[in-house]
Amino acid sequence: MYLGDEAWPDLESYFESESLALVPLGSTEQHGPHLPEATDHLIGEAFARAVADRTGYLCTPTINIGVSGHHRQFHGTMWVEPPAFRQYMESLTRNLTSHGIDRVIYVNAHGGNVPHLREVGARLRQDEVAYAIEWMWNDSIPELVDDLFEQNGPHGGPKETALIQYLEPALVHDDRLEEARDTGIPDVEAAETIKHGSRTFYDAADNTDNGVLGDQTDATAAKGVQLFEAASDQLVQLCEWLAAQKFEDLMPREHV
């Protein structure tokens, strides 16, 4: 069920019987010369909408702009500062609790959002108002990602390319895949910005001139289908697990 499609009287029965919501998130940021800036939020929304259709759980509108300041040197990247993002996500989640939602899955497709969503979730749990957890598609199927790609990225690499080839093929510049590979870097180690155990880089531009890593020519829409179906299955199972938990069992323990 997609919240934005429903009239308010028709949502009453959902809130009376269910307490789980999916909140898709991503970013609007550079993804190299071959992928759209919408890449992350297109992926997050696709997973959330598909799983909501399969399970009947509620899917909210998508958060399209996240913590992406580390991509700011590339044209068109949009971002919000981390404190503003955390405040917004906490406020949005507390809004859902006013309707009876007490467990939330942030269906997130942007790595820069992860620590901030974890912080928001921890705060909401500590206040015992909601149990909110972050889910990233590639973290749910790491073995498949490794099996499909020799150099999987992470950013703007073949795994994201394959998903967009499947989800939104018209937005992929397939004629630029070799350029993306040849003017980028295979992985962070190749950038030589890890010095004596220290990550000396802060921005994507410190590592890669074109903004991406990996071998984009290894991507195909068929691989995108495999990724999407496998990760969707994982998200369905996560929804079912979370819905089955007693709320009090999700809350912090008093003492050990």
Side-chain angles (χ1 to χ4, degrees):
M1 175 187 292
Y2 178 61
L3 186 151
D5 288 343
E6 303 296 320
W8 72 262
D10 303 318
L11 289 165
E12 181 178 6
S13 60
Y14 182 85
F15 291 124
E16 286 178 343
S17 61
E18 300 289 353
S19 57
L20 187 150
L22 300 166
V23 179
L25 300 96
S27 66
T28 300
E29 65 181 29
Q30 71 85 17
H31 273 77
H34 63 300
L35 290 179
E37 304 228 350
T39 290
D40 286 345
H41 72 250
L42 289 173
I43 291 172
E45 180 172 307
F47 277 116
R49 294 285 291 265
V51 169
D53 287 345
R54 286 176 59 179
T55 62
Y57 290 120
L58 185 71
C59 175
T60 74
T62 303
I63 310 304
N64 291 341
I65 297 173
V67 181
S68 299
H70 50 293
H71 292 288
R72 67 190 183 279
Q73 290 93 343
F74 296 91
H75 303 305
T77 292
M78 303 185 71
W79 70 93
V80 294
E81 296 301 325
F85 177 78
R86 292 192 296 267
Q87 183 179 17
Y88 181 86
M89 291 307 304
E90 181 173 347
S91 178
L92 182 148
T93 307
R94 288 181 183 272
N95 158 252
L96 289 171
T97 68
S98 73
H99 296 295
I101 298 297
D102 63 18
R103 56 205 76 190
V104 171
I105 299 175
Y106 300 127
V107 182
N108 173 49
H110 172 52
N113 294 338
V114 172
H116 310 291
L117 293 171
R118 293 283 298 169
E119 182 175 331
V120 168
R123 186 179 302 129
L124 292 165
R125 182 173 183 253
Q126 189 63 40
D127 290 347
E128 298 191 5
V129 295
Y131 184 76
I133 53 176
E134 179 268 343
W135 178 86
M136 273 197 77
W137 69 271
N138 52 290
D139 289 340
S140 74
I141 50 168
E143 295 86 1
L144 179 59
V145 172
D146 287 342
D147 287 345
L148 289 179
F149 309 110
E150 290 189 18
Q151 297 176 342
N152 62 43
H155 184 73
K159 62 186 179 185
E160 290 183 321
T161 302
L163 274 180
I164 299 298
Q165 285 174 325
Y166 165 55
L167 296 170
E168 297 286 349
L171 298 182
V172 181
H173 296 276
D174 287 312
D175 59 332
R176 299 177 185 174
L177 296 182
E178 290 187 7
E179 174 193 348
R181 177 196 63 194
D182 295 343
T183 60
I185 58 172
D187 49 41
V188 173
E189 287 72 20
E192 299 183 349
T193 52
I194 299 177
K195 306 291 186 183
H196 311 291
S198 175
R199 292 158 55 97
T200 65
F201 59 92
Y202 284 97
D203 298 328
D206 296 336
N207 284 329
T208 166
D209 290 338
N210 74 352
V212 293
L213 307 87
D215 182 359
Q216 291 75 15
T217 65
D218 199 17
T220 65
K223 290 182 180 181
V225 173
Q226 289 183 262
L227 295 170
F228 192 79
E229 291 181 348
S232 294
D233 288 344
Q234 291 296 310
L235 183 53
V236 167
Q237 292 177 55
L238 178 60
C239 289
E240 292 172 345
W241 170 83
L242 185 54
Q245 305 307 304
K246 294 180 179 178
F247 183 71
E248 55 269 26
D249 291 341
L250 297 170
M251 292 296 97
R253 297 167 63 182
E254 290 295 330
H255 292 284
V256 296

